Amino acid sequence: MDADAHVIRLDGPARLALVDGVLDALDAAWAAASHVPDLDRTLFTLAVSEVATNMVQHSDGPTDVQLRVDIRIAADDLTATLVDTAPPASIDWHDVAMPDAESESGRGLALAQTVLDEFVHTYDDGGNTWVLRRLLGTPD
């Protein structure tokens, strides 16, 4: 890892309060990361927010789902790794698309896929892992 990278790590129950904490931590981190263009900040924050919120919304189950979020702000990219203890999420990536303008939901993964340079979901018996990466200066 870059010696100059700024790292954020938060974990706890998969609740909206944790998502709010992640977004607050990102807002605070941008002050120390003046090299990150405003567009990259906005789009990366949007992607992290959408994926984390989806993880929370789909974490209902008989056990308390835990969520860990690691974010790295480096010289040339932004990376977030989100890991939960939920049952494996089954995603058909061919069906991920922006819904029509009238839809009230269903945009999260499509938005993230559009604004990220790398967007990977893996799962095993322990849960789901999402890796989000945006190269700085990526045109949109």
Side-chain angles (χ1 to χ4, degrees):
M1 175 162 50
D2 296 336
D4 296 330
H6 184 85
V7 177
I8 298 167
R9 173 175 262 189
L10 291 164
D11 58 20
R15 304 280 183 265
L16 289 178
L18 182 63
V19 177
D20 289 340
V22 169
L23 297 177
D24 289 345
L26 261 175
D27 283 345
W30 296 136
S34 60
H35 69 286
V36 179
D38 288 341
L39 180 63
D40 292 314
R41 293 175 187 208
T42 299
L43 295 177
F44 183 74
T45 299
L46 173 67
V48 169
S49 176
E50 290 293 338
V51 173
T53 300
N54 277 350
M55 292 173 80
V56 167
Q57 289 176 336
H58 296 287
S59 68
D60 293 335
T63 60
D64 191 28
V65 173
Q66 297 294 305
L67 176 61
R68 185 182 80 234
V69 180
D70 293 310
I71 297 174
R72 186 177 130 279
I73 301 170
D76 57 356
D77 70 348
L78 308 168
T79 305
T81 303
L82 297 88
V83 180
D84 71 20
T85 59
S90 177
I91 309 270
D92 183 351
W93 288 101
H94 296 345
D95 287 342
V96 173
M98 194 64 72
D100 64 47
E102 311 302 312
S103 294
E104 294 182 19
S105 65
R107 289 176 177 77
L109 295 180
L111 281 170
Q113 198 171 38
T114 299
V115 304
L116 296 169
D117 294 292
E118 179 183 353
F119 186 35
V120 177
H121 170 251
T122 58
Y123 58 89
D124 58 27
D125 292 339
N128 300 279
T129 299
W130 299 82
V131 177
L132 294 67
R133 183 170 179 241
R134 181 167 174 90
L135 301 174
L136 297 185
T138 299
D140 283 303

